[in-house]
Amino acid sequence: MTSAPREPFFPADKSIRASEAPLDVRYLGLVDYQQAWDLQADLAGKRGRDQIGDTVLVLEHPYTYTAGKRTQPADMPDDDSPVVVVDRGGRITWHGEGQLVVYPIVKLAEPVDVVDYVRRLEEAIIATVRAAGISTAGRIAGRSGVWVPAATKAKDPAASHRDRKIAALGIRITRGVTMHGLSLNCNNSLAAYEHIIACGIDDADVTTMSMELGRNVDPGDVDKQLVDALIRALAGDLSVANHTFGSAPNPSKGVRGRDTIRP
């Protein structure tokens, strides 16, 4: 097996969670973004006080732009669509129906290893989309998320020929408890991405599982597989491997934060 992108604080086969209790997985369907964010905050506070165990929220959002801490004015929608300013890392992205969203509310073991946590989320996504048939999905060094390389020809002729982002990550960790998480494009429209510079990246594109595979992939077709892979990745049963196929500049490196965007 190839090695992880960098040596983690914990052995690859060791759990990154502070608890060994089973995760409480909740499939919520379509949920308003603000409502889901409020729920996350409530659960994270309770988890930090050990009032509840680790929880995973699995859902979809209605059409919503969200701007992380590193979002720049140029990233914002060119059609003046409303934007929710959030407390996660990263820059602007979009959520909507057909996109699978997973929010782990998990207390991490100490010492907290943020990079390893992100890599484990990515590994769960990579395992899921590869099992579905996107065999070349992997990482681009310098950028988070899961990507399909330009060399891979999508089944949908409308797909881009550049590197394509199929899943995005944005997290927040407070007192060792995680919030926010990942979004996997399944069969959503990509029209909303035309109005923003998604994640601050203008030299690559976005894609969906449906476009890459040439068949419809609904969030419900892969949600349980992704949750299973996530559970195994956090537990160390699915080890982080080096699926990196390229490198590119980090779009958030050296970028100023919150005060650069409108609320």
Side-chain angles (χ1 to χ4, degrees):
M1 177 181 291
T2 51
S3 61
R6 73 110 166 101
E7 288 300 315
F9 296 167
F10 296 93
D13 61 351
K14 183 176 180 181
S15 175
I16 198 172
R17 295 172 54 209
S19 171
E20 296 181 359
L23 287 158
D24 176 13
V25 181
R26 305 183 187 182
Y27 294 89
L28 303 180
L30 187 66
V31 183
D32 173 78
Y33 186 87
Q34 186 66 53
Q35 180 182 348
W37 188 10
D38 292 343
L39 176 58
Q40 285 188 73
D42 178 63
L43 293 173
K46 291 177 179 176
R47 183 67 189 96
R49 297 187 293 272
D50 291 322
Q51 295 174 338
I52 62 170
D54 292 338
T55 305
V56 177
L57 307 180
V58 184
L59 48 88
E60 295 177 59
H61 288 305
Y63 192 111
T64 311
Y65 289 112
T66 67
K69 293 180 178 180
R70 299 296 177 182
T71 301
Q72 300 298 290
D75 301 342
M76 301 292 275
D78 61 13
D79 60 356
D80 293 323
S81 291
V83 177
V84 180
V85 177
V86 295
D87 57 355
R88 59 164 172 79
R91 293 169 71 165
I92 197 166
T93 193
W94 171 85
H95 298 300
E97 294 183 57
Q99 181 190 76
L100 177 60
V101 178
V102 179
Y103 295 135
I105 313 298
V106 171
K107 180 176 284 190
L108 299 177
E110 295 184 352
V112 171
D113 188 339
V114 178
V115 172
D116 191 26
Y117 174 66
V118 169
R119 294 294 175 255
R120 292 188 189 216
L121 295 186
E122 292 172 344
E123 196 69 27
I125 304 167
I126 292 170
T128 301
V129 299
R130 285 191 170 193
I134 309 173
S135 60
T136 57
R139 298 183 179 88
I140 294 179
R143 295 179 174 178
S144 67
V146 174
W147 297 79
V148 180
T152 301
K153 186 176 181 180
K155 297 295 179 64
D156 188 331
S160 165
H161 296 293
R162 302 197 294 181
D163 291 334
R164 305 180 290 279
K165 195 171 196 177
I166 198 167
L169 275 73
I171 66 167
R172 175 183 173 87
I173 300 176
T174 304
R175 298 184 181 88
V177 178
T178 66
M179 279 183 59
H180 302 288
L182 63 92
S183 58
L184 172 61
N185 290 340
C186 295
N187 61 356
N188 52 283
S189 168
L190 298 180
Y193 291 103
E194 297 176 3
H195 298 290
I196 60 172
I197 301 178
C199 304
I201 296 171
D202 60 6
D203 59 359
D205 293 304
V206 290
T207 189
T208 68
M209 293 187 69
S210 297
M211 294 184 76
E212 296 300 319
L213 295 170
R215 58 180 171 83
N216 185 60
V217 179
D218 188 83
D221 296 334
V222 293
D223 55 0
K224 291 180 175 56
Q225 292 92 325
L226 180 54
V227 168
D228 177 68
L230 175 64
I231 291 171
R232 291 188 291 119
L234 295 177
D237 297 329
L238 174 63
S239 296
V240 174
N242 188 359
H243 301 299
T244 302
F245 61 79
S247 63
N250 181 342
S252 295
K253 186 175 182 180
V255 171
R256 294 180 63 195
R258 176 68 70 211
D259 62 343
T260 62
I261 62 172
R262 61 177 171 80

